[in-house]
Amino acid sequence: MNGRRLQFGLAVIDDKLYVVGGRDGLKTLNTVECYNPKTKTWTVLPPMSTHRHGLGVAVLEGPMYAVGGHDGWSYLNTVERWDPQARQWTFVASMSIARSTVGVAALNGKLYAVGGRDGSACLKSIECYDPHTNKWSMCTPMSKRRGGVGVATCDGFLYAVGGHDAPASNHCSRLSDCVERYDPKTDTWTTIASVSVPRDAVGVCLLGDKLYAVGGYDGQTYLNTMESYDPQTNEWTQAASLNIGRAGACVVVVKM
C-alpha cells in the first residue's frame, strides 16, 4: 500500500480487497486503495469526502459503506457509500450517534453499526440501516459497552466479540472476553461462550461454518493467537497462531 495504515476499514468486492481510510501516523486518511490478489497489484481509487480512522466498512447489496469513525478532530456519525459501477462516493443518512472503533456488518439486507465510542464513553447501542428507505433505526442494545468490538455474521445471527469499556479520558480500559449474539428476528441479544482471553481491537470473520477471532489486545500484549467458534457446540477452540501479534487488524475472506 501507499504508506502505512492503522484503524482502517476493509471489505471485499468481486474478490478484490478495498482498504478504506485509516491513519498514517497522526494523519487521518480519506484515501482508498484496491488490491487484486490475482495480479498482486494495488490501484488507487477516488477518495472519500471525509477523512476517517476507526471507521466500520461493509458491503451491502453491491455498494460499500464507510460508517462513522474519527476525522482527527471529532467523532463522526456520517456515512458514505461507494458505488462500484459509477466509481464514486455519496453521503447517505447519518447515524443518530457518532461512533468510532465501531463494528459494522451486513445482515438480511440491512447494515448494522455496533457499539464503538462517541468521545465520552463506549457504547452498547446498535443502529440498523435500511438502504431502501435511507433511514437508521435503533435496535435493542447489547448488555455491555464495547469499543474496538469485533463483529461478524453467521447463520442469520450477528456476533459481537470482545472490545473495551472506558471513557476517552481514561486509559485503564476494562477489556472484555464476552461474546454476544443478536437475533434480528426477535431483536434480542444472548450472551454465549466467551473467548479464552480478553480481546480488544480483535479481527473477526466467518470462514466456512465457523467464526474466527484473530489477534487483538489483552491489556498487556498484542496477541498472535486465534480461536474459532462453532455455533453448533457453543465452544471456542484454539487455532493456528499468527506469526506476529496484531491488534486492530482487519480480517476478511477472499475466494481464490
Side-chain angles (χ1 to χ4, degrees):
M1 291 184 289
N2 290 323
R4 65 192 180 110
R5 292 181 190 248
L6 306 169
Q7 292 186 297
F8 54 88
L10 186 63
V12 178
I13 303 176
D14 294 332
D15 298 334
K16 297 182 180 67
L17 286 176
Y18 286 73
V19 179
V20 183
R23 282 193 301 126
D24 185 352
L26 298 176
K27 182 182 179 182
T28 299
L29 306 171
N30 67 340
T31 53
V32 182
E33 296 182 61
C34 174
Y35 178 71
N36 186 333
K38 294 180 180 178
T39 61
K40 298 182 180 180
T41 55
W42 287 94
T43 304
V44 176
L45 299 176
M48 297 180 289
S49 297
T50 306
H51 295 70
R52 302 173 187 267
H53 70 261
L55 72 163
V57 173
V59 176
L60 175 62
E61 297 179 348
M64 176 173 64
Y65 292 79
V67 179
H70 194 281
D71 65 5
W73 301 97
S74 59
Y75 291 80
L76 303 171
N77 68 345
T78 58
V79 182
E80 297 183 55
R81 177 169 60 198
W82 166 258
D83 184 331
Q85 275 70 48
R87 292 174 58 86
Q88 65 182 18
W89 290 92
T90 56
F91 281 100
V92 298
S94 296
M95 297 181 291
S96 61
I97 300 171
R99 300 175 187 271
S100 183
T101 67
V102 57
V104 174
L107 178 63
N108 296 341
K110 294 182 179 178
L111 195 69
Y112 288 84
V114 180
R117 56 190 315 154
D118 64 1
S120 60
C122 292
L123 304 167
K124 62 172 66 174
S125 61
I126 314 296
E127 298 186 55
C128 173
Y129 176 75
D130 186 334
H132 301 289
T133 61
N134 190 32
K135 291 183 179 179
W136 288 89
S137 56
M138 301 303 295
C139 303
T140 298
M142 297 178 289
S143 66
K144 293 183 178 295
R145 299 175 181 270
R146 299 174 188 266
V149 60
V151 172
T153 61
C154 178
D155 293 334
F157 295 98
L158 179 71
Y159 290 80
V161 181
H164 68 272
D165 175 10
S169 59
N170 181 3
H171 297 289
C172 297
S173 294
R174 294 185 293 270
L175 304 185
S176 180
D177 60 1
C178 174
V179 182
E180 298 183 63
R181 179 175 62 200
Y182 177 74
D183 185 345
K185 295 179 181 177
T186 58
D187 188 30
T188 56
W189 287 91
T190 303
T191 300
I192 60 172
S194 298
V195 285
S196 62
V197 294
R199 294 179 185 268
D200 182 25
V202 58
V204 180
C205 76
L206 175 69
L207 178 61
D209 58 357
K210 293 183 175 62
L211 287 176
Y212 288 81
V214 182
Y217 179 65
D218 67 359
Q220 296 181 323
T221 305
Y222 295 115
L223 301 170
N224 70 341
T225 57
M226 176 174 72
E227 44 193 311
S228 66
Y229 176 75
D230 187 336
Q232 301 301 317
T233 61
N234 188 32
E235 292 178 336
W236 289 91
T237 304
Q238 292 295 321
S241 295
L242 296 163
N243 292 311
I244 58 173
R246 296 173 184 262
C250 290
V251 183
V252 294
V253 174
V254 180
K255 297 177 182 178
M256 298 293 288

